[in-house]
Amino acid sequence: MAYDGTNFSGFQRQPHERTIEGVLTKVVNKMAKDPQPAIEVFGSGRTDAGVHALAQTAHFDFPIDIPAENMFKALNSMIPLDMQIKKAEIVEPDFHARYDVSGKRYLYRLDLGQFKNPFKRNYTGHWKYPVDMELLNQALEQLVGEHDFSSFVASGSSAKSNVRTIYEATAHMDEANQELQIEFYGNGFLYNMVRILVGVAVEIGSGFRPVADVQRLFEVKDRNEARRTMPASGLYLKRVYYEGDDPQHPVKLPKYQR
Amino acid sequence: MAYDGTNFSGFQRQPHERTIEGVLTKVVNKMAKDPQPAIEVFGSGRTDAGVHALAQTAHFDFPIDIPAENMFKALNSMIPLDMQIKKAEIVEPDFHARYDVSGKRYLYRLDLGQFKNPFKRNYTGHWKYPVDMELLNQALEQLVGEHDFSSFVASGSSAKSNVRTIYEATAHMDEANQELQIEFYGNGFLYNMVRILVGVAVEIGSGFRPVADVQRLFEVKDRNEARRTMPASGLYLKRVYYEGDDPQHPVKLPKYQR
């Protein structure tokens, strides 16, 4: 599913808050005429308030046997306009939208306009300094590989290990729209990790930090050294990978690392 | 100024409503330390709730003599993030942002995706039928020129005459974004006129009406015959023209026609 995260308090269900999981759970249970016990919805992982998704995934066990196409149409007709189901399929009984994830891809959009664009305020982060793409790409290259990302995780993370592997880190300059787009593809991402990575990368790209800072941050394992967390509004969960989606990177994180 | 109209109850000041004029008036008066009588802000015209502006204009008489550049910065620092001042200049004392308008240009964005895109819901209208650009362009050509637009005005208009001149009516298909963009440039537009024009134009483009319907609508002068009013979310005030801006079309509407 895709969603505009602007008016959601994130993915995870919470009492009295409008969340993706909350809306989906309500809709799915309504479709099944509120069965007991209630149907639970399992997402691939949480996204924070204001974070968007181009292709988030979730699974649930629906008690009535209906074709995927009907489920697709029914869901789309019942969810609010800031959500969109892009595909529905019937999966193996043991499939789990969260535990079976083998990788995730995130996009971060940065508005480079001198002034904040009113049409982009909820859909980009803002960065008003010139970016040297050569420096930025050097920084991104340093991030690729298996590293301990302890300097790049927000407090409040419950991960047992901060070791993750980034397969790809790429940047695209969209001159026409005064926009810089940065993508990360990896086997897993810690709490706020992408937003912190983007902050360090653009600081390097704009010459506020040396490229060597990436290596230093891996070593010091101190979140305060990474400084800036870029705003939620620029972040998009672009794709969730499951075993078989990318034969080159089939690895699932062991459970203790999640 | 530009503004994202999503969270405004339109341009015109109204008690207890968040409006463009209301916010601007408050900011300008605050900057001048709430003078008596209060400073009034005059826009080029109203936009409805949900309608956007890429370049709306307004004037006010500021009691303190400050450079335009300072006004520009001060305003931008005080207005909310869904508004942006794009330019400030000091004008002749007799300039009037509304009475001196010689023309306006509107853009209408239509999302052509089969399903409503959650990221476009506030920024486009939605049209899910295939559009034949040849037919659409024929319809738009028929609209160009001086016509009585009585079939294309919403009830509630206070205009004395419904005769307006459209100088340009063009369509652009943005295949990559599954989007159709229609622009109208004319000497003036009646209440809801662009949204009704777009509805008729795409109905013709999709084969739901014959091209000859444009001529028929000019003749019947019956708003019910035009049917559909496209949603506010797709409409953008793109440019306001004043005398000198377009030597080819210098005409101002006489006062009784406004």
Side-chain angles (χ1 to χ4, degrees):
Chain A
M1 78 195 95
Y3 48 82
D4 175 342
T6 308
N7 298 321
F8 287 100
S9 305
F11 186 88
Q12 196 184 23
R13 194 145 47 124
Q14 295 172 64
H16 317 301
E17 298 280 352
R18 183 174 188 258
T19 68
I20 308 292
E21 192 187 25
V23 168
L24 262 189
T25 303
K26 206 166 153 184
V27 163
V28 165
N29 279 283
K30 196 171 174 191
M31 277 173 63
K33 304 201 194 314
D34 292 310
Q36 286 303 334
I39 304 166
E40 264 192 90
V41 171
F42 300 88
S44 80
R46 303 170 193 175
T47 53
D48 279 343
V51 173
H52 313 292
L54 301 174
Q56 168 70 289
T57 53
H59 88 264
F60 51 83
D61 293 318
F62 199 68
I64 310 163
D65 191 18
I66 62 168
E69 180 63 18
N70 296 18
M71 176 61 75
F72 173 76
K73 285 183 185 159
L75 284 175
N76 266 323
S77 71
M78 290 174 75
I79 56 177
L81 288 175
D82 44 1
M83 293 173 67
Q84 183 191 10
I85 305 298
K86 308 206 76 155
K87 194 173 160 192
E89 54 183 332
I90 294 169
V91 290
E92 295 298 312
D94 65 346
F95 173 84
H96 196 291
R98 179 163 164 229
Y99 297 144
D100 293 350
V101 171
S102 62
K104 283 188 181 177
R105 181 181 289 273
Y106 282 96
L107 161 70
Y108 198 94
R109 289 175 54 191
L110 286 149
D111 175 18
L112 300 179
Q114 201 197 337
F115 300 99
K116 290 190 180 184
N117 180 331
F119 295 101
K120 290 188 170 182
R121 73 196 190 290
N122 295 325
Y123 304 105
T124 59
H126 188 239
W127 189 253
K128 61 182 173 184
Y129 309 100
V131 175
D132 178 330
M133 292 299 281
E134 179 63 36
L135 283 178
L136 174 62
N137 281 319
Q138 285 177 25
L140 294 177
E141 273 165 37
Q142 299 284 307
L143 292 167
V144 172
E146 185 180 74
H147 301 287
D148 184 322
F149 287 93
S150 296
S151 287
F152 301 89
V153 58
S155 59
S157 164
S158 57
K160 303 257 167 52
S161 158
N162 291 333
V163 174
R164 294 290 183 277
T165 302
I166 294 183
Y167 304 131
E168 291 174 21
T170 55
H172 168 70
M173 179 67 84
D174 178 349
E175 300 275 1
N177 293 312
Q178 287 197 290
E179 210 175 288
L180 175 63
Q181 290 154 7
I182 299 179
E183 283 196 25
F184 291 99
Y185 168 33
N187 68 348
F189 293 87
L190 302 161
Y191 189 49
N192 277 0
M193 178 169 147
V194 178
R195 292 161 58 187
I196 300 170
L197 286 173
V198 169
V200 169
V202 293
E203 285 192 358
I204 292 173
S206 293
F208 301 158
R209 286 174 179 269
V211 175
D213 244 23
V214 172
Q215 209 46 54
R216 191 178 64 82
L217 287 166
F218 285 146
E219 284 159 18
V220 296
K221 299 183 177 53
D222 176 0
R223 192 262 167 276
N224 296 317
E225 291 284 326
R227 296 199 289 257
R228 198 187 297 272
T229 301
M230 296 300 284
S233 53
L235 186 61
Y236 296 74
L237 174 57
K238 191 172 173 184
R239 185 167 171 191
V240 182
Y241 294 78
Y242 292 96
E243 216 135 299
D245 285 347
D246 180 1
Q248 223 188 318
H249 301 294
V251 191
K252 278 196 291 183
L253 274 184
K255 269 197 185 167
Y256 69 88
Q257 278 203 13
R258 281 179 207 131
Chain B
M1 77 194 96
Y3 47 81
D4 176 341
T6 308
N7 298 321
F8 288 101
S9 305
F11 187 88
Q12 195 185 24
R13 193 144 50 120
Q14 296 171 64
H16 317 301
E17 298 281 350
R18 183 175 189 257
T19 68
I20 308 292
E21 193 188 22
V23 168
L24 262 189
T25 303
K26 206 166 154 183
V27 163
V28 165
N29 279 282
K30 196 172 175 190
M31 279 174 60
K33 301 199 198 309
D34 292 311
Q36 289 300 333
I39 305 167
E40 263 192 272
V41 170
F42 299 89
S44 79
R46 304 171 193 170
T47 52
D48 279 344
V51 173
H52 313 291
L54 301 174
Q56 168 71 288
T57 54
H59 89 264
F60 51 83
D61 294 318
F62 199 67
I64 311 163
D65 192 18
I66 62 168
E69 180 63 18
N70 296 19
M71 176 61 76
F72 172 76
K73 285 182 185 158
L75 284 175
N76 266 324
S77 71
M78 290 173 74
I79 56 176
L81 287 175
D82 45 0
M83 293 172 69
Q84 183 192 8
I85 305 298
K86 307 206 77 156
K87 193 173 161 193
E89 55 183 332
I90 294 169
V91 289
E92 295 299 312
D94 65 345
F95 173 84
H96 196 290
R98 180 163 163 226
Y99 298 145
D100 293 350
V101 171
S102 62
K104 282 189 180 174
R105 181 182 290 273
Y106 281 97
L107 161 70
Y108 198 94
R109 287 175 54 189
L110 285 150
D111 175 18
L112 300 179
Q114 202 196 336
F115 300 100
K116 291 190 181 185
N117 180 329
F119 296 101
K120 290 189 168 182
R121 73 195 190 290
N122 295 326
Y123 304 105
T124 59
H126 187 239
W127 188 253
K128 63 181 172 184
Y129 310 100
V131 175
D132 178 330
M133 291 300 280
E134 179 64 36
L135 283 178
L136 174 62
N137 281 320
Q138 285 177 26
L140 294 177
E141 273 166 38
Q142 299 283 308
L143 292 167
V144 172
E146 185 181 74
H147 301 288
D148 183 321
F149 287 93
S150 296
S151 287
F152 301 89
V153 57
S155 58
S157 164
S158 58
K160 302 258 168 50
S161 159
N162 292 333
V163 174
R164 294 290 184 277
T165 302
I166 294 183
Y167 304 132
E168 290 174 19
T170 54
H172 169 71
M173 180 67 84
D174 179 348
E175 301 275 1
N177 294 310
Q178 287 196 293
E179 210 176 288
L180 175 62
Q181 291 155 6
I182 298 178
E183 282 195 28
F184 291 98
Y185 168 34
N187 68 348
F189 293 88
L190 302 161
Y191 188 50
N192 276 0
M193 178 168 146
V194 178
R195 293 161 57 187
I196 299 170
L197 287 173
V198 170
V200 169
V202 292
E203 286 192 358
I204 292 173
S206 293
F208 301 159
R209 286 173 179 269
V211 175
D213 244 23
V214 173
Q215 208 46 56
R216 191 178 65 80
L217 288 166
F218 285 145
E219 283 158 20
V220 297
K221 298 182 177 52
D222 177 1
R223 191 264 168 272
N224 296 317
E225 291 285 325
R227 297 199 287 256
R228 196 185 301 267
T229 301
M230 296 299 285
S233 53
L235 186 61
Y236 297 73
L237 174 57
K238 191 173 173 183
R239 186 168 170 191
V240 181
Y241 294 78
Y242 293 97
E243 216 136 300
D245 284 348
D246 180 1
Q248 224 188 317
H249 300 111
V251 193
K252 278 197 290 184
L253 273 184
K255 270 198 184 167
Y256 69 87
Q257 278 202 14
R258 280 178 207 132

